[in-house]
Amino acid sequence: MSTRTVTVTGQGSTAVAPDTAVVRVAAVARAAGLAEAFASASTAAAQIGVVARRHTVEERIASTGITVWPWHDNQGRQRGFEARHSLSIGCSDLDAAGALLDELAGEVGDALAVDGVALEVAETTAARDRAVAAAYADALRQAEQLAGLAGASLGDVLAIAQGGSAGGGPGFRGMDAIAASAKLEPGETTVAASLSVTWALA
């Protein structure tokens, strides 16, 4: 006689405040000639690097792209070239990211383009553990309800399978947040877990 079982999927989540930030900026320059545009963007990118080193470590400053293309006016006539040097700068806390943006605006000026600020959680292990525990509790609640409806009770756990985070990863409220004051508000992120659990029915 085969063992009767019940399998349910439990969901759990926990909220965490982001505590680090990745600032994405670019040095942008326009000029009549390609070489002049490229040189101006390179000079501004170097200045971004100087400012960034005051707020983070060298290893967290990275170039993410360099492009140069023809620049056209509103009538479609080519007026020169535009060069763009994009960088990603990781900061250990939100205050450092805000101070970085303030200094970049003041020292790089009109050559600065801010592409966004991604708020992140440096350590998610504890939050994921809480989410997994909540997911198991949810699975247990469902299984007990189903077993009761079937006139049975739960026996041993036969199998547990852990799914990925809901939505493919943490979702941030206030992600890409930037204000004129460069005061970054952390909001919160939800770390989620999913568990599929099989119990024997007694």
Side-chain angles (χ1 to χ4, degrees):
M1 181 178 178
S2 60
T3 301
R4 294 192 302 164
T5 64
V6 59
T7 300
V8 297
T9 299
Q11 306 290 341
S13 63
T14 187
V16 185
D19 53 5
T20 65
V22 177
V23 178
R24 298 186 178 95
V25 296
V28 181
R30 288 178 176 177
L34 186 151
E36 183 184 354
F38 182 78
S40 296
S42 297
T43 298
Q47 185 60 37
I48 290 174
V50 170
V51 175
R53 288 175 181 83
R54 300 175 194 157
H55 300 278
T56 190
V57 295
E58 181 81 25
E59 293 75 12
R60 300 201 69 188
I61 305 170
S63 293
T64 58
I66 299 175
T67 55
V68 184
W69 63 90
W71 163 48
H72 298 84
D73 63 19
N74 292 334
Q75 283 71 47
R77 295 170 297 192
Q78 184 174 340
R79 293 299 189 184
F81 293 86
E82 179 170 309
R84 183 182 182 94
H85 185 150
S86 300
L87 300 100
S88 174
I89 305 167
C91 296
S92 60
D93 59 65
L94 304 191
D95 288 341
L100 168 65
L101 287 167
D102 281 337
E103 283 198 33
L104 287 175
E107 297 193 25
V108 182
D110 293 342
L112 176 72
V114 179
D115 294 329
V117 180
L119 306 183
E120 301 180 349
V121 179
E123 177 52 65
T124 60
T125 301
R128 293 191 185 281
D129 288 347
R130 294 195 297 272
V132 168
Y136 184 85
D138 181 48
L140 178 61
R141 177 191 61 77
Q142 294 181 61
E144 288 176 336
Q145 180 184 28
L146 292 173
L149 291 173
S153 59
L154 295 182
D156 294 333
V157 173
L158 301 179
I160 301 177
Q162 185 169 1
S165 299
F172 298 98
R173 294 215 303 262
M175 193 171 182
D176 293 328
I178 180 169
S181 64
K183 171 61 176 176
L184 302 179
E185 300 297 342
E188 66 180 22
T189 177
T190 298
V191 177
S194 175
L195 287 180
S196 180
V197 188
T198 299
W199 278 269
L201 291 179

mmCIF file of all heavy atoms in Angstrom, residues 124-170:
data_model
loop_
_atom_site.group_PDB
_atom_site.id
_atom_site.type_symbol
_atom_site.label_atom_id
_atom_site.label_comp_id
_atom_site.label_asym_id
_atom_site.label_seq_id
_atom_site.Cartn_x
_atom_site.Cartn_y
_atom_site.Cartn_z
ATOM 1 N N THR A 124 22.625 39.775 2.992
ATOM 2 C CA THR A 124 21.233 39.327 2.968
ATOM 3 C C THR A 124 21.027 37.958 3.615
ATOM 4 O O THR A 124 19.906 37.453 3.651
ATOM 5 C CB THR A 124 20.720 39.246 1.518
ATOM 6 O OG1 THR A 124 21.525 38.302 0.784
ATOM 7 C CG2 THR A 124 20.790 40.610 0.833
ATOM 8 N N THR A 125 22.089 37.342 4.157
ATOM 9 C CA THR A 125 21.974 35.982 4.687
ATOM 10 C C THR A 125 20.942 35.880 5.793
ATOM 11 O O THR A 125 20.074 34.988 5.778
ATOM 12 C CB THR A 125 23.336 35.491 5.200
ATOM 13 O OG1 THR A 125 24.285 35.513 4.134
ATOM 14 C CG2 THR A 125 23.226 34.083 5.755
ATOM 15 N N ALA A 126 21.005 36.772 6.783
ATOM 16 C CA ALA A 126 20.062 36.709 7.900
ATOM 17 C C ALA A 126 18.632 36.932 7.429
ATOM 18 O O ALA A 126 17.697 36.258 7.876
ATOM 19 C CB ALA A 126 20.438 37.742 8.967
ATOM 20 N N ALA A 127 18.459 37.873 6.496
ATOM 21 C CA ALA A 127 17.117 38.141 5.978
ATOM 22 C C ALA A 127 16.580 36.932 5.221
ATOM 23 O O ALA A 127 15.396 36.578 5.341
ATOM 24 C CB ALA A 127 17.143 39.371 5.076
ATOM 25 N N ARG A 128 17.430 36.275 4.433
ATOM 26 C CA ARG A 128 16.986 35.092 3.701
ATOM 27 C C ARG A 128 16.640 33.955 4.654
ATOM 28 O O ARG A 128 15.684 33.199 4.416
ATOM 29 C CB ARG A 128 18.055 34.654 2.697
ATOM 30 C CG ARG A 128 18.253 35.645 1.572
ATOM 31 C CD ARG A 128 19.123 35.088 0.452
ATOM 32 N NE ARG A 128 19.381 36.104 -0.548
ATOM 33 C CZ ARG A 128 18.540 36.472 -1.495
ATOM 34 N NH1 ARG A 128 17.344 35.897 -1.555
ATOM 35 N NH2 ARG A 128 18.848 37.402 -2.370
ATOM 36 N N ASP A 129 17.389 33.805 5.732
ATOM 37 C CA ASP A 129 17.070 32.781 6.730
ATOM 38 C C ASP A 129 15.689 33.021 7.331
ATOM 39 O O ASP A 129 14.919 32.069 7.534
ATOM 40 C CB ASP A 129 18.130 32.775 7.839
ATOM 41 C CG ASP A 129 19.461 32.190 7.375
ATOM 42 O OD1 ASP A 129 19.490 31.570 6.297
ATOM 43 O OD2 ASP A 129 20.463 32.365 8.103
ATOM 44 N N ARG A 130 15.372 34.284 7.624
ATOM 45 C CA ARG A 130 14.042 34.597 8.180
ATOM 46 C C ARG A 130 12.947 34.325 7.148
ATOM 47 O O ARG A 130 11.868 33.841 7.486
ATOM 48 C CB ARG A 130 13.994 36.052 8.641
ATOM 49 C CG ARG A 130 14.902 36.369 9.826
ATOM 50 C CD ARG A 130 14.556 37.706 10.460
ATOM 51 N NE ARG A 130 14.744 38.824 9.547
ATOM 52 C CZ ARG A 130 15.891 39.484 9.404
ATOM 53 N NH1 ARG A 130 16.967 39.113 10.089
ATOM 54 N NH2 ARG A 130 15.984 40.522 8.570
ATOM 55 N N ALA A 131 13.230 34.635 5.900
ATOM 56 C CA ALA A 131 12.241 34.394 4.845
ATOM 57 C C ALA A 131 11.992 32.901 4.664
ATOM 58 O O ALA A 131 10.845 32.466 4.475
ATOM 59 C CB ALA A 131 12.714 35.024 3.534
ATOM 60 N N VAL A 132 13.048 32.082 4.740
ATOM 61 C CA VAL A 132 12.898 30.633 4.617
ATOM 62 C C VAL A 132 12.083 30.080 5.788
ATOM 63 O O VAL A 132 11.212 29.217 5.598
ATOM 64 C CB VAL A 132 14.285 29.949 4.542
ATOM 65 C CG1 VAL A 132 14.157 28.442 4.710
ATOM 66 C CG2 VAL A 132 14.958 30.271 3.221
ATOM 67 N N ALA A 133 12.360 30.568 7.005
ATOM 68 C CA ALA A 133 11.598 30.120 8.171
ATOM 69 C C ALA A 133 10.119 30.474 8.021
ATOM 70 O O ALA A 133 9.233 29.670 8.357
ATOM 71 C CB ALA A 133 12.167 30.750 9.440
ATOM 72 N N ALA A 134 9.844 31.670 7.503
ATOM 73 C CA ALA A 134 8.452 32.077 7.285
ATOM 74 C C ALA A 134 7.796 31.215 6.217
ATOM 75 O O ALA A 134 6.608 30.873 6.314
ATOM 76 C CB ALA A 134 8.402 33.551 6.894
ATOM 77 N N ALA A 135 8.545 30.854 5.187
ATOM 78 C CA ALA A 135 8.005 30.000 4.127
ATOM 79 C C ALA A 135 7.673 28.613 4.658
ATOM 80 O O ALA A 135 6.638 28.023 4.308
ATOM 81 C CB ALA A 135 9.001 29.902 2.975
ATOM 82 N N TYR A 136 8.519 28.074 5.535
ATOM 83 C CA TYR A 136 8.235 26.755 6.123
ATOM 84 C C TYR A 136 6.992 26.819 7.009
ATOM 85 O O TYR A 136 6.147 25.914 6.961
ATOM 86 C CB TYR A 136 9.430 26.257 6.929
ATOM 87 C CG TYR A 136 9.222 24.858 7.473
ATOM 88 C CD1 TYR A 136 9.519 23.746 6.684
ATOM 89 C CD2 TYR A 136 8.700 24.652 8.742
ATOM 90 C CE1 TYR A 136 9.300 22.461 7.164
ATOM 91 C CE2 TYR A 136 8.477 23.367 9.230
ATOM 92 C CZ TYR A 136 8.775 22.285 8.440
ATOM 93 O OH TYR A 136 8.550 21.011 8.903
ATOM 94 N N ALA A 137 6.875 27.872 7.797
ATOM 95 C CA ALA A 137 5.691 28.022 8.650
ATOM 96 C C ALA A 137 4.423 28.109 7.806
ATOM 97 O O ALA A 137 3.373 27.552 8.168
ATOM 98 C CB ALA A 137 5.837 29.263 9.529
ATOM 99 N N ASP A 138 4.515 28.790 6.668
ATOM 100 C CA ASP A 138 3.363 28.900 5.775
ATOM 101 C C ASP A 138 3.017 27.540 5.174
ATOM 102 O O ASP A 138 1.836 27.163 5.086
ATOM 103 C CB ASP A 138 3.677 29.908 4.666
ATOM 104 C CG ASP A 138 2.517 30.100 3.699
ATOM 105 O OD1 ASP A 138 1.375 30.283 4.162
ATOM 106 O OD2 ASP A 138 2.751 30.067 2.475
ATOM 107 N N ALA A 139 4.030 26.775 4.783
ATOM 108 C CA ALA A 139 3.794 25.440 4.231
ATOM 109 C C ALA A 139 3.166 24.524 5.283
ATOM 110 O O ALA A 139 2.232 23.760 4.984
ATOM 111 C CB ALA A 139 5.110 24.844 3.719
ATOM 112 N N LEU A 140 3.657 24.591 6.508
ATOM 113 C CA LEU A 140 3.119 23.765 7.588
ATOM 114 C C LEU A 140 1.655 24.092 7.851
ATOM 115 O O LEU A 140 0.814 23.196 8.033
ATOM 116 C CB LEU A 140 3.948 23.960 8.854
ATOM 117 C CG LEU A 140 3.484 23.204 10.104
ATOM 118 C CD1 LEU A 140 3.506 21.699 9.866
ATOM 119 C CD2 LEU A 140 4.363 23.567 11.298
ATOM 120 N N ARG A 141 1.327 25.377 7.869
ATOM 121 C CA ARG A 141 -0.064 25.791 8.101
ATOM 122 C C ARG A 141 -0.984 25.223 7.027
ATOM 123 O O ARG A 141 -2.051 24.684 7.314
ATOM 124 C CB ARG A 141 -0.142 27.322 8.120
ATOM 125 C CG ARG A 141 -1.561 27.871 8.276
ATOM 126 C CD ARG A 141 -1.592 29.371 8.026
ATOM 127 N NE ARG A 141 -1.147 29.706 6.671
ATOM 128 C CZ ARG A 141 -1.910 29.560 5.593
ATOM 129 N NH1 ARG A 141 -3.137 29.059 5.689
ATOM 130 N NH2 ARG A 141 -1.444 29.898 4.405
ATOM 131 N N GLN A 142 -0.547 25.334 5.762
ATOM 132 C CA GLN A 142 -1.363 24.817 4.666
ATOM 133 C C GLN A 142 -1.522 23.296 4.746
ATOM 134 O O GLN A 142 -2.612 22.761 4.516
ATOM 135 C CB GLN A 142 -0.728 25.177 3.326
ATOM 136 C CG GLN A 142 -0.683 26.655 3.010
ATOM 137 C CD GLN A 142 -0.062 26.881 1.640
ATOM 138 O OE1 GLN A 142 -0.586 26.412 0.628
ATOM 139 N NE2 GLN A 142 1.068 27.579 1.610
ATOM 140 N N ALA A 143 -0.417 22.613 5.049
ATOM 141 C CA ALA A 143 -0.452 21.150 5.105
ATOM 142 C C ALA A 143 -1.361 20.663 6.226
ATOM 143 O O ALA A 143 -2.116 19.688 6.052
ATOM 144 C CB ALA A 143 0.964 20.608 5.293
ATOM 145 N N GLU A 144 -1.301 21.312 7.382
ATOM 146 C CA GLU A 144 -2.169 20.921 8.489
ATOM 147 C C GLU A 144 -3.635 21.106 8.133
ATOM 148 O O GLU A 144 -4.491 20.268 8.471
ATOM 149 C CB GLU A 144 -1.818 21.734 9.736
ATOM 150 C CG GLU A 144 -0.497 21.322 10.367
ATOM 151 C CD GLU A 144 -0.110 22.196 11.545
ATOM 152 O OE1 GLU A 144 -0.587 23.355 11.610
ATOM 153 O OE2 GLU A 144 0.675 21.739 12.396
ATOM 154 N N GLN A 145 -3.943 22.188 7.420
ATOM 155 C CA GLN A 145 -5.322 22.436 7.005
ATOM 156 C C GLN A 145 -5.800 21.357 6.028
ATOM 157 O O GLN A 145 -6.905 20.808 6.177
ATOM 158 C CB GLN A 145 -5.440 23.807 6.354
ATOM 159 C CG GLN A 145 -6.863 24.139 5.895
ATOM 160 C CD GLN A 145 -6.929 25.466 5.156
ATOM 161 O OE1 GLN A 145 -5.953 25.894 4.542
ATOM 162 N NE2 GLN A 145 -8.064 26.127 5.218
ATOM 163 N N LEU A 146 -4.971 21.028 5.051
ATOM 164 C CA LEU A 146 -5.351 20.021 4.065
ATOM 165 C C LEU A 146 -5.472 18.637 4.697
ATOM 166 O O LEU A 146 -6.381 17.860 4.357
ATOM 167 C CB LEU A 146 -4.333 19.993 2.926
ATOM 168 C CG LEU A 146 -4.301 21.238 2.035
ATOM 169 C CD1 LEU A 146 -3.143 21.163 1.051
ATOM 170 C CD2 LEU A 146 -5.615 21.397 1.287
ATOM 171 N N ALA A 147 -4.544 18.319 5.600
ATOM 172 C CA ALA A 147 -4.614 17.020 6.281
ATOM 173 C C ALA A 147 -5.903 16.905 7.090
ATOM 174 O O ALA A 147 -6.566 15.857 7.096
ATOM 175 C CB ALA A 147 -3.393 16.833 7.184
ATOM 176 N N GLY A 148 -6.246 18.000 7.775
ATOM 177 C CA GLY A 148 -7.492 17.984 8.553
ATOM 178 C C GLY A 148 -8.705 17.772 7.680
ATOM 179 O O GLY A 148 -9.633 17.026 8.037
ATOM 180 N N LEU A 149 -8.735 18.408 6.511
ATOM 181 C CA LEU A 149 -9.861 18.234 5.592
ATOM 182 C C LEU A 149 -9.951 16.792 5.084
ATOM 183 O O LEU A 149 -11.043 16.304 4.760
ATOM 184 C CB LEU A 149 -9.711 19.190 4.404
ATOM 185 C CG LEU A 149 -9.881 20.681 4.718
ATOM 186 C CD1 LEU A 149 -9.529 21.521 3.490
ATOM 187 C CD2 LEU A 149 -11.317 20.972 5.170
ATOM 188 N N ALA A 150 -8.807 16.121 5.008
ATOM 189 C CA ALA A 150 -8.777 14.735 4.550
ATOM 190 C C ALA A 150 -8.958 13.748 5.693
ATOM 191 O O ALA A 150 -8.882 12.523 5.485
ATOM 192 C CB ALA A 150 -7.458 14.463 3.823
ATOM 193 N N GLY A 151 -9.176 14.249 6.917
ATOM 194 C CA GLY A 151 -9.351 13.368 8.064
ATOM 195 C C GLY A 151 -8.078 12.670 8.477
ATOM 196 O O GLY A 151 -8.092 11.545 8.972
ATOM 197 N N ALA A 152 -6.952 13.318 8.275
ATOM 198 C CA ALA A 152 -5.656 12.726 8.612
ATOM 199 C C ALA A 152 -4.846 13.721 9.429
ATOM 200 O O ALA A 152 -5.293 14.830 9.722
ATOM 201 C CB ALA A 152 -4.908 12.337 7.336
ATOM 202 N N SER A 153 -3.641 13.305 9.791
ATOM 203 C CA SER A 153 -2.702 14.195 10.472
ATOM 204 C C SER A 153 -1.358 14.084 9.786
ATOM 205 O O SER A 153 -1.100 13.143 9.026
ATOM 206 C CB SER A 153 -2.575 13.820 11.955
ATOM 207 O OG SER A 153 -2.121 12.474 12.098
ATOM 208 N N LEU A 154 -0.513 15.044 10.038
ATOM 209 C CA LEU A 154 0.789 15.051 9.373
ATOM 210 C C LEU A 154 1.761 14.079 10.036
ATOM 211 O O LEU A 154 1.857 14.014 11.264
ATOM 212 C CB LEU A 154 1.390 16.461 9.396
ATOM 213 C CG LEU A 154 0.653 17.540 8.604
ATOM 214 C CD1 LEU A 154 1.413 18.868 8.697
ATOM 215 C CD2 LEU A 154 0.479 17.144 7.143
ATOM 216 N N GLY A 155 2.514 13.373 9.193
ATOM 217 C CA GLY A 155 3.572 12.510 9.671
ATOM 218 C C GLY A 155 4.927 13.153 9.442
ATOM 219 O O GLY A 155 5.090 14.371 9.607
ATOM 220 N N ASP A 156 5.882 12.332 9.022
ATOM 221 C CA ASP A 156 7.238 12.839 8.805
ATOM 222 C C ASP A 156 7.318 13.677 7.522
ATOM 223 O O ASP A 156 6.563 13.481 6.578
ATOM 224 C CB ASP A 156 8.222 11.676 8.677
ATOM 225 C CG ASP A 156 8.360 10.892 9.977
ATOM 226 O OD1 ASP A 156 8.129 11.500 11.048
ATOM 227 O OD2 ASP A 156 8.688 9.693 9.901
ATOM 228 N N VAL A 157 8.292 14.605 7.523
ATOM 229 C CA VAL A 157 8.605 15.338 6.298
ATOM 230 C C VAL A 157 9.385 14.405 5.381
ATOM 231 O O VAL A 157 10.407 13.831 5.769
ATOM 232 C CB VAL A 157 9.435 16.601 6.609
ATOM 233 C CG1 VAL A 157 9.903 17.250 5.322
ATOM 234 C CG2 VAL A 157 8.615 17.580 7.434
ATOM 235 N N LEU A 158 8.915 14.259 4.145
ATOM 236 C CA LEU A 158 9.558 13.361 3.196
ATOM 237 C C LEU A 158 10.483 14.087 2.224
ATOM 238 O O LEU A 158 11.451 13.505 1.723
ATOM 239 C CB LEU A 158 8.493 12.597 2.401
ATOM 240 C CG LEU A 158 7.524 11.747 3.229
ATOM 241 C CD1 LEU A 158 6.524 11.069 2.314
ATOM 242 C CD2 LEU A 158 8.280 10.724 4.067
ATOM 243 N N ALA A 159 10.186 15.345 1.944
ATOM 244 C CA ALA A 159 11.012 16.077 0.979
ATOM 245 C C ALA A 159 10.809 17.577 1.156
ATOM 246 O O ALA A 159 9.716 18.021 1.507
ATOM 247 C CB ALA A 159 10.675 15.674 -0.458
ATOM 248 N N ILE A 160 11.880 18.330 0.918
ATOM 249 C CA ILE A 160 11.826 19.798 0.929
ATOM 250 C C ILE A 160 12.605 20.294 -0.285
ATOM 251 O O ILE A 160 13.752 19.894 -0.492
ATOM 252 C CB ILE A 160 12.430 20.404 2.209
ATOM 253 C CG1 ILE A 160 11.697 19.909 3.456
ATOM 254 C CG2 ILE A 160 12.377 21.932 2.151
ATOM 255 C CD1 ILE A 160 12.297 20.429 4.763
ATOM 256 N N ALA A 161 11.980 21.151 -1.071
ATOM 257 C CA ALA A 161 12.663 21.764 -2.219
ATOM 258 C C ALA A 161 12.540 23.266 -2.097
ATOM 259 O O ALA A 161 11.440 23.791 -1.889
ATOM 260 C CB ALA A 161 12.058 21.285 -3.534
ATOM 261 N N GLN A 162 13.667 23.951 -2.197
ATOM 262 C CA GLN A 162 13.677 25.404 -2.054
ATOM 263 C C GLN A 162 13.674 26.066 -3.410
ATOM 264 O O GLN A 162 14.481 25.738 -4.285
ATOM 265 C CB GLN A 162 14.897 25.872 -1.262
ATOM 266 C CG GLN A 162 14.907 27.361 -0.972
ATOM 267 C CD GLN A 162 15.979 27.749 0.030
ATOM 268 O OE1 GLN A 162 16.723 26.915 0.501
ATOM 269 N NE2 GLN A 162 16.047 29.025 0.345
ATOM 270 N N GLY A 163 12.742 26.997 -3.600
ATOM 271 C CA GLY A 163 12.668 27.747 -4.845
ATOM 272 C C GLY A 163 13.510 29.004 -4.752
ATOM 273 O O GLY A 163 14.134 29.295 -3.733
ATOM 274 N N GLY A 164 13.521 29.782 -5.825
ATOM 275 C CA GLY A 164 14.259 31.034 -5.845
ATOM 276 C C GLY A 164 13.475 32.144 -5.184
ATOM 277 O O GLY A 164 12.330 31.995 -4.792
ATOM 278 N N SER A 165 14.117 33.306 -5.062
ATOM 279 C CA SER A 165 13.442 34.474 -4.515
ATOM 280 C C SER A 165 12.311 34.885 -5.437
ATOM 281 O O SER A 165 12.433 34.840 -6.660
ATOM 282 C CB SER A 165 14.424 35.643 -4.359
ATOM 283 O OG SER A 165 15.461 35.288 -3.474
ATOM 284 N N ALA A 166 11.217 35.306 -4.835
ATOM 285 C CA ALA A 166 10.080 35.746 -5.629
ATOM 286 C C ALA A 166 10.474 36.915 -6.504
ATOM 287 O O ALA A 166 11.146 37.838 -6.062
ATOM 288 C CB ALA A 166 8.916 36.130 -4.717
ATOM 289 N N GLY A 167 10.069 36.873 -7.774
ATOM 290 C CA GLY A 167 10.383 37.968 -8.693
ATOM 291 C C GLY A 167 11.819 37.933 -9.187
ATOM 292 O O GLY A 167 12.267 38.866 -9.828
ATOM 293 N N GLY A 168 12.548 36.867 -8.876
ATOM 294 C CA GLY A 168 13.908 36.742 -9.374
ATOM 295 C C GLY A 168 14.934 37.455 -8.528
ATOM 296 O O GLY A 168 16.110 37.481 -8.841
ATOM 297 N N GLY A 169 14.541 38.054 -7.414
ATOM 298 C CA GLY A 169 15.503 38.732 -6.551
ATOM 299 C C GLY A 169 14.838 39.833 -5.770
ATOM 300 O O GLY A 169 13.649 40.091 -5.930
ATOM 301 N N PRO A 170 15.580 40.478 -4.888
ATOM 302 C CA PRO A 170 15.001 41.543 -4.088
ATOM 303 C C PRO A 170 14.460 42.673 -4.945
ATOM 304 O O PRO A 170 15.082 43.055 -5.937
ATOM 305 C CB PRO A 170 16.187 42.023 -3.233
ATOM 306 C CG PRO A 170 17.145 40.889 -3.242
ATOM 307 C CD PRO A 170 16.986 40.231 -4.585
#
